[in-house]
Amino acid sequence: MTLALEIPKLTIGSIREGLLKRRFSATELTREALRFAEAENPKTNAYLHFCPERALSAARSVDEKLARGEDPGLLAGVPVAVKDVIVTKGVRTTAASKMLADYIPPYDATAVECLDAAGAVILGKTNCDEFAMGSSNENSAFGPVRNPVDPERVPGGSSGGSAAAVAQGTAVVSLGSDTGGSVRQPASFCGVVGLTPTYGRVSRYGLIAFASSLDHIGVVARNVSDTATLLQVIAGRDERDSTSAAVPVPDYMAALNGGVRGMKIGLPREYFKDPDSETSKLVLDGVEVLKRLGCEVREISMPHTEYAVAAYYIICTAEASSNLARYDGVRYTFRSRDSETLADMYRNTRGEGFGAECKRRIMLGTYVLSAGYYDAYYLKAQKVRTLIARDFTEAFREVDALIAPVSPFPAFKLGEKLDDPMQMYLSDIYTITASLAGVPCMSVPCGVTSGGLPVGMQILTRHFDEAGMLRLAYAFERNRA
Ligand code: GLN
């Protein structure tokens, strides 16, 4: 097979083998990967821009290491896409917002530095909802992303471009960000694997802030083993992010083969409110596979689940209103022209630079933090957050992992939910609980609906038990029909 034909099917393992056997060089691979991605991208709009110079220079350094007989790194030559809310030195980073349309960061995010050090080749930056606010990728200032499985449908959001690129084969793996489901839900909608680690497992340094207590960098890949490798590369303590945890990083790839017999699994009743839906059925079929592998499955209850959407949309908007205050036309690129006074300049810049969803969240967030409303909304939501986290703590006393749907339904049509923000928010019901509790979670493909749309099964484990979660996902992936 020629290299060009192989591109959409490459894995981290197959690239390593090809490089070591000298079937191709990293430079040849990068050239082909860029050509393929640039040609295919108009079908989905997954990438906002490419960075060929940076990619080819990374590839050259892998080839030089190989020529010297040095270890080229875990991700040597692997074409990677990075969500455009993660900063890249010298490469435009827009957060899919007009506000940052021309922003060229002077530094790399820590996760990006880790990719570089592991020999990865960043091809470009992926589209998303503006400042990662959304569930369909329709809030991008640069046009929506189309789902590669069905171009009339959304890829999910906010990391829609990162999931679509991997599903389409224009990246082997990608980085996304997840504040309330933005890695898991698009992975589920596009039929790929998406993992959000424990809060603190991966540095947020260089991740453009949306809601700092909820923001995570996560990973997308076409299989569980590539997911484990990518997580391995980016996990760990970082002095530049005080919320990153000084917890040792285990060998995730080694953990994959551990076996799952005897593992205790909980099915939270509140996540299967509609057991007859196609989505629930596919997830429950997946649970049967795990039973066959010797997992002990039981139903459990997580009683505060129903309050999660309300609490999340208060906390995330409050934090967003504060984080987005910095975009005032003074420091970050976009500035409205022709304002008479400084106050006008602020107003006009924010009025013109932010899209509708960002404005909605800034207003909502400012309201819930304001004097007189703080106790009724923000403080109450924080208390609910504690109760939701406690549901997880109690569940994990009884079981090792939880299984749930990722989303109540598969990918919906472009435009279908745009007029009703409330419906859009409610669709996050199964993903935001884990975000509020900070536990690791992932979506693994578990089948397709009668209409051919992918559905993901969500796996959640205890804080810092990404290894157990990946082991379960790997066993599932290898044994599902
Ligand atoms: N859909 C959720 C929201 O709109 C989650 C977004 C995210 O995880 N970044 O806030």
Side-chain angles (χ1 to χ4, degrees), residues 147-161:
N147 192 320
V149 179
D150 175 352
E152 296 306 310
R153 292 180 186 266
V154 303
S158 62
S159 312

Side-chain angles (χ1 to χ4, degrees), residues 83 129 131-136 139 157-159 177-185 210 215 312-313 316 357 361 424-425 427-428 431-432 435:
K83 184 177 181 180
D129 286 297
F131 287 101
M133 297 174 185
S135 312
S136 68
N139 296 335
S158 62
S159 312
S177 72
D178 192 321
T179 303
S182 277
V183 162
R184 290 160 283 160
Q185 184 252 26
F210 156 18
D215 291 343
Y312 170 84
Y313 276 97
C316 85
E357 183 61 28
R361 296 200 188 196
M424 196 74 100
Y425 294 173
S427 72
D428 298 333
T431 47
I432 53 192
S435 314

Side-chain angles (χ1 to χ4, degrees), residues 4 13 63 112 127 155 162 173 231 300 330 356 384 393:
D63 286 333
V112 169
N127 204 345
S162 296
V173 293
L231 178 64
I300 61 154
V330 177
V384 173
T393 310

Side-chain angles (χ1 to χ4, degrees), residues 102-116:
D102 300 310
Y103 177 52
I104 309 231
Y107 68 106
D108 275 329
T110 299
V112 169
E113 277 182 0
C114 294
L115 291 180
D116 257 353

Side-chain angles (χ1 to χ4, degrees), residues 59-113:
R60 256 192 312 277
S61 95
V62 169
D63 286 333
E64 282 161 16
K65 282 198 180 139
L66 284 166
R68 289 196 298 265
E70 290 170 22
D71 178 4
L74 269 181
L75 296 179
V78 175
V80 181
V82 174
K83 184 177 181 180
D84 213 20
V85 292
I86 301 173
V87 302
T88 38
K89 186 174 178 177
V91 175
R92 198 144 55 93
T93 301
T94 67
S97 179
K98 186 175 169 190
M99 195 60 103
L100 291 176
D102 300 310
Y103 177 52
I104 309 231
Y107 68 106
D108 275 329
T110 299
V112 169
E113 277 182 0

Side-chain angles (χ1 to χ4, degrees), residues 200-279:
R201 177 76 296 179
V202 170
S203 170
R204 286 182 297 113
Y205 182 74
L207 170 63
I208 294 177
F210 156 18
S212 310
S213 79
L214 295 157
D215 291 343
H216 303 66
I217 288 182
V219 303
V220 181
R222 284 195 288 272
N223 62 47
V224 175
S225 143
D226 282 1
T227 305
T229 310
L230 184 53
L231 178 64
Q232 192 82 52
V233 166
I234 62 169
R237 164 79 183 155
D238 176 14
E239 289 305 320
R240 294 173 297 188
D241 170 7
S242 59
T243 62
S244 77
V247 175
V249 180
D251 185 337
Y252 295 124
M253 283 98 82
L256 293 180
N257 286 310
V260 297
R261 182 161 298 280
M263 206 163 166
K264 293 194 186 71
I265 289 184
L267 301 183
R269 153 171 349 121
E270 293 77 6
Y271 289 68
F272 292 92
K273 280 261 151 60
D274 188 6
D276 293 328
S277 74
E278 257 192 304
T279 300

